[in-house]
Amino acid sequence: MSETAATAGKAVGVVPDANRWKALVFIALAQLMVVLDATIVNIALPSAQQDLGISDGNRQWVVTAYALAFGGLLLFGGRIADLWGRKRAFVLGLGGFAVASALGGAATNEAMMFGARALQGVFGALLAPAALSLLAVMFTDGKERAKAFGIYGAIAGGGGAVGLILGGFLTEYLDWRWTFFVNIPFAVVAAAGAYFVIREPQGGRNRSPLDIPGVVLSTAGLVALVYGFTRAESEGWSDSVTIGMFVASAVLLAAFVAVEAKVKAPLLPLRVLTERNRGGIYLSLGLAIIAMFGLFLFLTYYLQVVQGYSPVKTGFAFLPMIAGMITGSTQIGTRLMTRVAPRLLMGPGFLVAALGMLLLTQLEIDTSYAAVLLPGMLLLGLGMGTAFMPAMSLATLGVEPRDSGVASAMVNTSQQVGGAIGTALLNTIAASATTSYIADHIGGANSRSQQQLVQLEGQVQGYTSAIWFAVGILVAAAVVALTFINAGRPGDTMVTGSSDERAGDEMPVPVVAH
């Protein structure tokens, strides 16, 4: 038997943690809390803005402060999880997130609100990669891994839509502050459960010295990138500060790559990023999230502003998407993941999602929910759920346990940066199309009611124009998945890209491609 085969045999023979399924409950609960927070606050924002006296110019910072801290610190958070241990990072992240949420709910002015949101982002950046890497090191059997990541993928994909429903309920029937306070019981239960149930496998820590230059460059580069896209949404792409942020980001991230290639213990070992399958996962996921986040925004406005839905009714309107995601992730993805190559789930999954998006390009002012929105969202959710599940699993497969934190952080980073790009890019396209439509048609509107009709038609025209771009982006994600990702079904392929640094050379880690 060859050395690699022997190693693979040892890997397969590892005795799994008896409490792994209990641990999954608390990991999933924590992931749900983090994903919920990305959308739940959006529903509450108008009420919070009025209560706290936040100006229209500053209100974006309720969202931006969280996005900058979370997106900028993810790689650092992943490395801290590898250094301290994932369980410790997970529990600390939950505790900090709960405290920050309490501060946000108790905010008395805009400064306190912005500070609380930034603090949520800091602890979210520690929590999110720790949660995913715990799954990666606890579930090693192919079929069990498929089920665990199916559940995780469904939550990661559908949690944002659940946030819209919960945010609508809390804002309409209680108070906007409860969109923050609701995190506290989530965090307390998840932290207590994790403390008593999770047993992290031994020998998985990376005790190398912390790469301080890498931390500074990556954090500054990612913050500049996320802020550049966020500012582009409000100030335009030609704004001097927006352009400056993009240039600074390119320089800082290029410097980061150069540093990581040379230092002995890098923050992000380039082998994690450059391995073909993981690179394909990060890129295709980022593209899919660009399309997805823009759509959440447009459909929320379409349903509330154009169709006149209440916040609660809007949230419920997203239920078909959630049902599709859960079905695609836990039924289709989980059942087929151990039988077919991941690219044959991801590529078709993104194409099915693109088909659902294509239906939504038919939106008009009086579009029937049952005829267009329902099947469109169902297909979108089904496709995304089917594609997300193998993506989440494969992104952390074949990585040495000591690198699983940063590999997990890269999944979250691609999603976070994709969300910032999607919101800014598609919003800009929509605004431009709306302005153009109104300019062309407002002249023929003689009465006030006709002018209002043109305004609404212009908004819908903007949404559909942006959704067409989202269709193209999803098709591009499918092409990336089908061409970059070449891991086979179980028993066919070994994913490489980790190294044995103690031996001083690069060695493939044989792992069955579940």
Side-chain angles (χ1 to χ4, degrees), residues 417-512:
V417 173
I421 295 171
T423 304
L425 179 63
L426 296 180
N427 230 15
T428 304
I429 293 166
S432 176
T434 296
T435 303
S436 177
Y437 182 91
I438 292 173
D440 290 344
H441 294 81
I442 198 72
N446 299 319
S447 66
R448 182 174 178 80
S449 62
Q450 286 178 327
Q451 289 174 354
Q452 289 176 336
L453 183 64
V454 169
Q455 295 275 359
L456 286 177
E457 287 174 343
Q459 285 188 39
V460 176
Q461 181 67 29
Y463 301 154
T464 55
S465 298
I467 291 171
W468 271 110
F469 274 85
V471 171
I473 292 168
L474 279 175
V475 171
V479 171
V480 169
L482 289 168
T483 53
F484 277 66
I485 299 166
N486 62 358
R489 63 186 179 81
D492 286 353
T493 283
M494 292 183 295
V495 179
T496 61
S498 295
S499 72
D500 186 347
E501 288 178 353
R502 286 162 296 185
D505 60 356
E506 199 70 20
M507 287 188 64
V509 176
V511 179
V512 178

Side-chain angles (χ1 to χ4, degrees), residues 101-261:
S101 297
L103 288 173
T108 54
N109 54 52
E110 64 178 32
M112 189 173 174
M113 170 61 76
F114 299 156
R117 287 292 282 161
L119 201 59
Q120 278 186 315
V122 170
F123 285 104
L126 181 63
L127 173 60
L132 184 55
S133 58
L134 276 171
L135 277 192
V137 298
M138 292 180 77
F139 289 90
T140 53
D141 174 74
K143 289 185 178 179
E144 288 193 348
R145 187 181 178 92
K147 289 178 184 176
F149 277 89
I151 294 167
Y152 186 89
I155 290 171
V162 175
L164 295 173
I165 298 174
L166 190 57
F169 259 108
L170 294 172
T171 303
E172 200 163 318
Y173 296 116
L174 290 174
D175 184 76
W176 66 265
R177 295 182 184 277
W178 282 97
T179 60
F180 287 89
F181 292 145
V182 74
N183 290 330
I184 298 171
F186 274 106
V188 170
V189 171
Y195 183 81
F196 291 108
V197 168
I198 291 177
R199 298 289 180 268
E200 189 177 346
Q202 294 296 316
R205 291 194 193 179
N206 185 344
R207 300 183 186 276
S208 304
L210 197 59
D211 171 22
I212 300 299
V215 170
V216 173
L217 289 169
S218 68
T219 301
L222 288 170
V223 164
L225 183 63
V226 173
Y227 183 59
F229 278 108
T230 304
R231 187 177 174 86
E233 183 187 354
S234 57
E235 304 298 328
W237 297 91
S238 58
D239 175 68
S240 58
V241 177
T242 301
I243 295 170
M245 285 293 115
F246 286 137
V247 172
S249 173
V251 171
L252 289 164
L253 292 177
F256 170 67
V257 172
V259 166
E260 298 308 275

Side-chain angles (χ1 to χ4, degrees), residues 27 31 74 77-82 85-93 123-138 152 198 200 404-406 408-409 412:
I27 293 170
Q31 173 65 11
L74 271 167
R79 178 65 181 86
I80 289 295
D82 287 336
R86 284 118 207 144
K87 177 179 174 178
R88 186 179 298 175
F90 183 73
V91 173
L92 179 62
F123 285 104
L126 181 63
L127 173 60
L132 184 55
S133 58
L134 276 171
L135 277 192
V137 298
M138 292 180 77
Y152 186 89
I198 291 177
E200 189 177 346
S404 65
V406 290
S408 302
N412 290 286

